[in-house]
Amino acid sequence: MDAEELLKLYAAGERYFSGVDFIGVDLSGANLENANFTWSYFTSAILKNTNFRRSDFTSAILENTNFSGANLSKVTFERNEIIRNCNFSRANLQDACLAEAGIFDSDLRGANLDNFQMIEGAIGGCNMEGASLRNADLGATGGIHGTNLRNADL
């Protein structure tokens, strides 16, 4: 699906985009709050400064996608096969939930992960320099490994 079609459907009240391919789509600055992207594919997408507040990315594949500055607060990432090589720098992931999933080899520099909840998840090989993780629950399974936490607010 291309950006124009998605934005047109969203403006008409559609919120269910399950199983849709968003390959190389540029939705920078769009408002997609409360959308359902379960089982969707975001590959090489540009989503800078996009509002995804309270959206659902359960079982979505997120690879080589730019979420820098995006609002991902209260977003759900559950059972995601792949969240890899993404740019979440300066993104707001406050109150987001990562369950039975992992974020790998991604940029989370300066991201807000306050109250972030990780349930049976993992973060590995990421750069989280300067990220805020106040009151984050990083769970006992998986955890954070091979990740730069320099100047992070823990």
Side-chain angles (χ1 to χ4, degrees), residues 51-122:
N51 180 16
F52 288 108
R53 181 173 161 70
R54 294 188 181 170
S55 291
D56 187 353
F57 288 90
T58 297
S59 298
I61 292 180
L62 311 172
E63 191 167 32
N64 300 315
T65 293
N66 187 344
F67 288 97
S68 63
N71 182 358
L72 295 156
S73 61
K74 300 185 184 233
V75 162
T76 301
F77 299 103
E78 287 187 33
R79 297 180 302 279
N80 298 78
E81 269 185 55
I82 299 172
I83 302 177
R84 186 176 303 283
N85 296 320
C86 291
N87 181 351
F88 292 100
S89 62
R90 300 175 323 284
N92 180 4
L93 289 142
Q94 185 172 5
D95 297 306
C97 179
L98 179 75
E100 298 178 41
I103 300 175
F104 301 101
D105 306 318
S106 295
D107 183 354
L108 290 119
R109 287 176 296 156
N112 178 354
L113 289 103
D114 293 347
N115 302 310
F116 183 83
Q117 186 177 20
M118 186 165 69
I119 304 164
E120 295 185 23

Side-chain angles (χ1 to χ4, degrees), residues 6-71:
L6 171 66
L7 294 173
K8 184 177 177 182
L9 289 168
Y10 188 89
E14 181 64 47
R15 298 295 182 268
Y16 188 74
F17 303 101
S18 182
V20 177
D21 291 340
F22 296 103
I23 299 170
V25 69
D26 186 345
L27 294 164
S28 296
N31 179 19
L32 298 169
E33 186 170 348
N34 291 313
N36 183 324
F37 296 107
T38 57
W39 296 99
S40 292
Y41 297 88
F42 287 88
T43 304
S44 302
I46 303 167
L47 309 170
K48 297 186 292 188
N49 302 310
T50 301
N51 180 16
F52 288 108
R53 181 173 161 70
R54 294 188 181 170
S55 291
D56 187 353
F57 288 90
T58 297
S59 298
I61 292 180
L62 311 172
E63 191 167 32
N64 300 315
T65 293
N66 187 344
F67 288 97
S68 63
N71 182 358

